[in-house]
Amino acid sequence: MQLNCAGKMLDLNQPAVMGVLNVTPDSFSDGGCYLQPDAALRRAEIMAEEGAAIIDVGGESTRPGAPLVTVQEELDRVLPVVERLTQALSIPISVDTSKPEVMREAARVGAGLINDVRALQAPGALDVAVTSDLPVCLMHLRGEPATMQQAPRYSDAVAEVYAFLAERVQVCEAAGISRDRILVDPGFGFGKTLEHNLRLLRHLNRFTDLAAGVLVGISRKSMIGLLLNTPVTERLSGSLAAAVIALWQGAKIIRTHDVRETVQALCVCAAARAAE
């Protein structure tokens, strides 16, 4: 299966790595590193050379406790970068946003996929996604970033996350976005405890029937830090282990800060899965 991302194809028949490019001052791992378009372009070029199949550009941090930014702030951060990357790179560029205004303008300058942590629930977001004719990624988020990690509770995290994503897929289909243009993301770390995250990872294969593919963003997250008692800068090994588990459980796309290492780990995992 391939996703048509504004004329650039994303092949889901093999493991795909999505490189993280945050153009924010306060993202938990790389905040402030790529605020300037020149720096963002250099980083994107490196990730493409390392094997990234798609680059995900975000202009608003969604880390726990992150403050909201205005539409204009996010547009000012995202649009120059998306436009330059779409012109310079042959791989698709994704826009990580929940704001319909940002979705619309990013699509206008060449973005090929809408990656929304709020699953197109903001007023107007679904309409913009339909009009853009771009594939979308729907993520599960319990609460809001500012408060999502304040004692999140589930009776059954896997069942509840599945039910939410299934409902959002149905809404998108009813609006005119076909299932083969929809990705789902269980939202590791977004309103979940360590136990919730581990159960979702263990049962990730439950989500593979929902849409065209499962996207997993687990790179350097706090669940890795909690398990290994390590700071953000020392979570590579744990992130790679989680990525391999996710691929083995059926994920199609792994979103990561560490592209080269993730590509290599997934290559080995995919070869083992394909062996008879």
Side-chain angles (χ1 to χ4, degrees):
M1 171 169 300
Q2 293 192 331
L3 286 181
N4 186 342
C5 302
K8 298 178 180 180
M9 306 308 294
L10 179 61
D11 187 1
L12 298 183
N13 295 309
Q14 56 189 0
V17 169
M18 171 184 274
V20 178
L21 186 60
N22 290 314
V23 289
T24 61
D26 57 345
S27 291
F28 81 94
S29 181
D30 57 356
C33 296
Y34 310 113
L35 283 172
Q36 299 304 315
D38 286 346
L41 176 58
R42 285 194 297 271
R43 178 58 184 156
E45 289 174 335
I46 290 170
M47 289 193 287
E49 291 170 0
E50 291 178 339
I54 183 170
I55 304 292
D56 193 38
V57 178
E60 179 178 26
S61 174
T62 50
R63 62 176 172 77
L68 297 175
V69 302
T70 67
V71 170
Q72 192 58 54
E73 284 178 300
E74 192 171 341
L75 286 170
D76 291 343
R77 294 173 182 175
V78 167
L79 292 189
V81 173
V82 171
E83 186 167 21
R84 288 191 65 176
L85 267 54
T86 56
Q87 294 172 356
L89 302 179
S90 60
I91 60 175
I93 305 303
S94 168
V95 60
D96 179 1
T97 186
S98 297
K99 296 182 176 68
E101 300 91 343
V102 179
M103 296 174 189
R104 181 186 300 110
E105 292 304 304
R108 181 181 61 80
V109 298
L113 185 144
I114 295 169
N115 182 18
D116 185 1
V117 300
R118 294 178 175 83
L120 301 178
Q121 293 184 100
L126 180 59
D127 291 339
V128 170
V130 171
T131 302
S132 75
D133 202 32
L134 296 179
V136 300
C137 181
L138 311 173
M139 198 197 80
H140 176 273
L141 163 65
R142 173 65 62 88
E144 291 293 329
T147 58
M148 64 185 178
Q149 290 305 104
Q150 296 178 7
R153 295 183 180 181
Y154 300 83
S155 58
D156 184 331
V158 175
E160 290 176 47
V161 172
Y162 183 97
F164 170 84
L165 291 173
E167 186 272 336
R168 294 310 300 165
V169 169
Q170 290 176 356
V171 168
C172 287
E173 286 188 295
I177 304 174
S178 59
R179 186 175 291 240
D180 61 2
R181 294 194 297 122
I182 302 173
L183 302 168
V184 293
D185 179 349
F188 289 97
F190 285 82
K192 284 103 177 167
T193 65
L194 175 59
E195 180 185 359
H196 300 146
N197 288 321
L198 291 174
R199 290 203 67 238
L200 286 166
L201 185 60
R202 171 64 180 85
H203 298 285
L204 194 66
N205 59 347
R206 290 267 302 273
F207 296 84
T208 57
D209 66 345
L210 281 175
V214 175
L215 184 152
V216 168
I218 205 166
S219 171
R220 302 182 184 176
K221 287 194 172 175
S222 61
M223 67 174 285
I224 308 296
L226 288 170
L227 287 169
L228 303 180
N229 191 29
T230 54
V232 169
T233 54
E234 298 177 15
R235 296 177 186 173
L236 175 59
S237 298
S239 298
L240 294 178
V244 166
I245 294 168
L247 180 64
W248 198 273
Q249 290 281 72
K252 296 288 188 181
I253 303 174
I254 305 297
R255 183 179 184 272
T256 183
H257 304 82
D258 303 293
V259 171
R260 184 189 301 278
E261 296 87 347
T262 304
V263 167
Q264 292 176 347
L266 297 187
C267 179
V268 175
C269 180
R273 285 195 77 203
E276 295 184 357

